[in-house]
Amino acid sequence: MSFILGLTGGIGSGKSAASQWFENQGIDVIDADVVAREVVEIGQPALQKIHESFGNWVINPDGSLNRRALREHIFQNPSARHQLEQITHPAIRQSIMQQLHAAKSPYVILVSPLLFETDQHKLTNRTLLIDASEATQIERASQRDGQNSEQIKKIIAAQMPRERKREMADDRVINDGHLDHLYQQLAVLHQDYLERS
Ligand code: ADP
């Protein structure tokens, strides 16, 4: 199995921009958000378990997961959130592990907004934090998602504080300037990761 880099950062910090750069260098990138959606697709065992645990209201007429109804339900009900995570987290973890094993590039990246919060960092050999000031995060995320800054601030407040992520991450790049500046910092780290792999 190759060297695994965990890549994380708050909303709008530039995780996707950084991941895209690594992909352009031929590095396989596994996105935990994508995996989280895949494990609850029609026909997946986790969807069946959610159906059994929560009832018919959680399934749309076409058999897919009613994400909105489930989101509202767990928002009001912490024990339901826990119950849901008991189903989804092991499925997500297993799928991530399979994809990490199957990767063919010199090293492989697991990108996850919740790398430290969900213990996914324990699957990795080293971690990289993409860091941007809160003002930058708010500006970029609200432009990208068309949400107002209050909504973005709420999401930031619910995420692990940047200071804590900084303590936990092995490497850190600051993405407050131009994309070229981000890419320069990533190029230096890429050489280091190639040597470690
Ligand atoms: P994340 O995946 O961490 O939420 P993104 O990579 O999607 O963040 O970046 C948020 C938005 O800001 C995107 O629209 C992205 O293209 C843009 N962006 C990221 N880094 C920069 C940068 N250094 N300069 C300008 N725009 C950037």
Side-chain angles (χ1 to χ4, degrees):
M1 173 139 81
S2 28
F3 177 83
I4 302 167
L5 177 74
L7 189 154
T8 192
I11 180 170
S13 61
K15 289 181 297 298
S16 305
S19 301
Q20 190 61 55
W21 185 88
F22 283 109
E23 272 189 335
N24 291 345
Q25 318 307 311
I27 300 303
D28 291 344
V29 176
I30 294 148
D31 185 329
D33 272 350
V34 173
V35 177
R37 285 196 291 274
E38 284 170 355
V39 298
V40 293
E41 279 172 2
I42 294 176
Q44 293 297 314
L47 181 61
Q48 183 62 33
K49 285 186 198 158
I50 292 169
H51 188 175
E52 285 162 12
S53 304
F54 291 88
N56 288 337
W57 61 267
V58 84
I59 303 294
N60 288 315
D62 69 356
S64 64
L65 182 64
N66 187 338
R67 292 171 174 282
R68 175 188 286 251
L70 185 59
R71 199 166 42 233
E72 281 167 14
H73 181 67
I74 63 171
F75 187 69
Q76 292 159 8
N77 191 338
S79 73
R81 174 187 295 274
H82 182 69
Q83 193 183 1
L84 176 67
E85 288 176 349
Q86 297 271 38
I87 297 169
T88 55
H89 282 181
I92 293 167
R93 193 181 171 85
Q94 195 189 0
S95 175
I96 286 174
M97 280 168 55
Q98 274 169 0
Q99 294 186 45
L100 289 171
H101 274 283
K104 294 276 185 288
S105 55
Y107 65 95
V108 52
I109 294 179
L110 170 61
V111 51
S112 173
L114 302 175
L115 190 74
F116 297 123
E117 291 89 331
T118 59
D119 274 357
Q120 284 166 350
H121 67 286
K122 291 183 182 160
L123 298 171
T124 70
N125 301 104
R126 198 170 175 85
T127 55
L128 168 60
L129 174 66
I130 312 297
D131 206 4
S133 72
E134 198 173 305
T136 308
Q137 281 183 277
I138 293 167
E139 186 189 318
R140 289 188 187 143
S142 51
Q143 270 196 5
R144 181 195 58 193
D145 303 339
Q147 288 185 307
N148 65 41
S149 56
E150 287 310 313
Q151 288 166 311
I152 305 294
K153 276 185 196 165
K154 272 189 199 155
I155 296 172
I156 292 173
Q159 294 183 330
M160 181 186 280
R162 278 167 67 201
E163 297 71 35
R164 182 83 191 101
K165 284 184 192 157
R166 268 185 227 156
E167 285 166 14
M168 294 187 77
D170 297 305
D171 299 319
R172 171 178 171 231
V173 297
I174 298 174
N175 184 26
D176 273 334
H178 289 289
L179 279 171
D180 278 345
H181 184 236
L182 172 69
Y183 299 158
Q184 280 166 17
Q185 298 174 80
L186 296 180
V188 174
L189 290 169
H190 177 55
Q191 287 310 315
D192 180 50
Y193 300 146
L194 286 174
E195 279 166 28
R196 287 173 187 276
S197 58

